[in-house]
């Protein structure tokens, strides 16, 4: 969870991948033409690897859509690309975020994250052994991802859920590509 949301970078990567550019070619572009506008080779490699991994397996239709769609739909699709690669984040979205929407409780508190991670630490030795600093970082990243995707906003010490507007074309593409569980996790399935 050391990565950022990287909306513009992921959208930019989708445009290249839609043109059938390989990961090797993408890395070369990143290093020689600085397509991500970063200040170090290490950062260029990191961005290329993360964005490629997020989009790997997306159909060409989804890649084209992401590279050309409006910002709202693009942010939702970037969030879905992150959820596809982070099982724990998907579980949080499905078990906490989605449940809040279904129950009509549009406020997420830090205690909701605490309870989620306490339950997960009881289920996983890996999570149980995380240090407090790791847990804080993961919780912060989850909230930041949702804020950057325009699904959360900070409000009086808590976080208000913003129901997403899901464009018909995006919904159709997600359904065709068997990504409905991810759509349901961010929208409550409503």
């Amino acid at each position: 969870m050391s990565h950022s949301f990287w909306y513009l970078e992921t959208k930019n990567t989708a445009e290249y991948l839609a043109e059938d550019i390989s990961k090797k070619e993408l890395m070369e572009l990143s290093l020689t033409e600085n397509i991500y506008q970063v200040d170090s080779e290490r950062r260029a490699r990191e961005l290329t690897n993360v964005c490629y991994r997020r989009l790997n397996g997306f159909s060409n239709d989804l890649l084209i859509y992401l590279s050309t769609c409006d910002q709202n739909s693009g942010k939702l699709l970037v969030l879905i690309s992150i959820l596809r690669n982070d099982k724990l984040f998907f579980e949080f979205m499905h078990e906490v975020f989605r449940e809040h929407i279904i129950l009509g409780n549009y406020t997420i508190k830090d205690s909701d994250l605490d309870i989620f991670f306490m339950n997960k630490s009881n289920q996983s030795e890996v999570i149980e052994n995380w240090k407090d600093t790791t847990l804080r970082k993961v919780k912060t990243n989850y909230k930041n991802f949702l804020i950057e995707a325009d699904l959360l906003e900070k409000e009086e010490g808590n976080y208000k859920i913003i129901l997403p507007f899901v464009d018909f074309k995006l919904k159709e593409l997600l359904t065709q590509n068997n990504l409905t569980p991810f759509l349901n996790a961010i929208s409550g399935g409503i």
Side-chain angles (χ1 to χ4, degrees):
M1 288 307 304
S2 63
H3 306 296
S4 297
F5 192 68
W6 290 328
Y7 166 69
L8 291 175
E9 294 83 354
T10 307
K11 187 172 176 132
N12 190 22
T13 303
E15 190 173 340
Y16 286 109
L17 295 179
E19 296 171 2
D20 265 346
I21 288 180
S22 69
K23 182 179 181 182
K24 183 179 178 181
E25 293 168 315
L26 184 65
M27 184 65 76
E28 188 175 309
L29 280 172
S30 178
L31 296 173
T32 60
E33 296 183 26
N34 198 14
I35 59 174
Y36 298 114
Q37 303 296 304
V38 293
D39 58 5
S40 72
E41 182 179 314
R42 183 193 63 76
R43 192 70 162 164
R45 288 183 185 282
E46 177 186 27
L47 264 165
T48 303
N49 286 326
V50 170
C51 291
Y52 181 85
R53 184 175 55 250
R54 286 179 180 177
L55 298 175
N56 190 28
F58 267 16
S59 70
N60 206 51
D61 288 343
L62 277 172
L63 294 171
I64 291 169
Y65 181 81
L66 176 55
S67 65
T68 59
C69 68
D70 64 277
Q71 185 172 328
N72 174 69
S73 295
K75 286 182 174 186
L76 294 177
L77 201 44
V78 168
L79 184 65
I80 287 170
S81 76
I82 295 168
L83 291 170
R84 286 178 58 239
N85 286 280
D86 185 335
K87 182 181 177 191
L88 186 61
F89 186 36
F90 173 74
E91 288 176 2
F92 168 77
M93 291 296 293
H94 183 76
E95 295 171 18
V96 178
F97 192 86
R98 178 177 173 266
E99 183 177 300
H100 274 66
I101 292 172
I102 290 170
L103 296 175
N105 176 5
Y106 298 110
T107 301
I108 290 192
K109 301 174 182 172
D110 284 330
S111 61
D112 293 317
L113 284 118
D114 294 340
I115 292 167
F116 172 77
F117 281 102
M118 184 182 66
N119 290 337
K120 293 301 170 182
S121 71
N122 291 332
Q123 298 169 14
S124 165
E125 202 172 298
V126 171
I127 297 171
E128 182 180 26
N129 290 322
W130 281 357
K131 295 178 181 174
D132 288 341
T133 54
T134 302
L135 263 175
R136 274 194 304 276
K137 186 174 184 180
V138 171
K139 290 174 190 178
T140 298
N141 277 352
Y142 284 8
K143 290 183 280 189
N144 286 341
F145 283 162
L146 293 171
I147 289 168
E148 289 189 55
D150 298 326
L151 296 181
L152 268 191
E153 69 180 30
K154 193 160 177 112
E155 183 179 83
E156 299 176 19
N158 295 314
Y159 298 88
K160 179 182 173 193
I161 294 174
I162 309 299
L163 290 177
F165 169 76
V166 182
D167 176 90
F168 174 77
K169 179 69 176 171
L170 176 57
K171 187 174 185 176
E172 181 179 64
L173 283 169
L174 292 172
T175 301
Q176 290 170 358
N177 286 277
N178 300 315
L179 296 172
T180 306
F182 300 98
L183 174 61
N184 290 340
I186 65 173
S187 67
I190 54 175

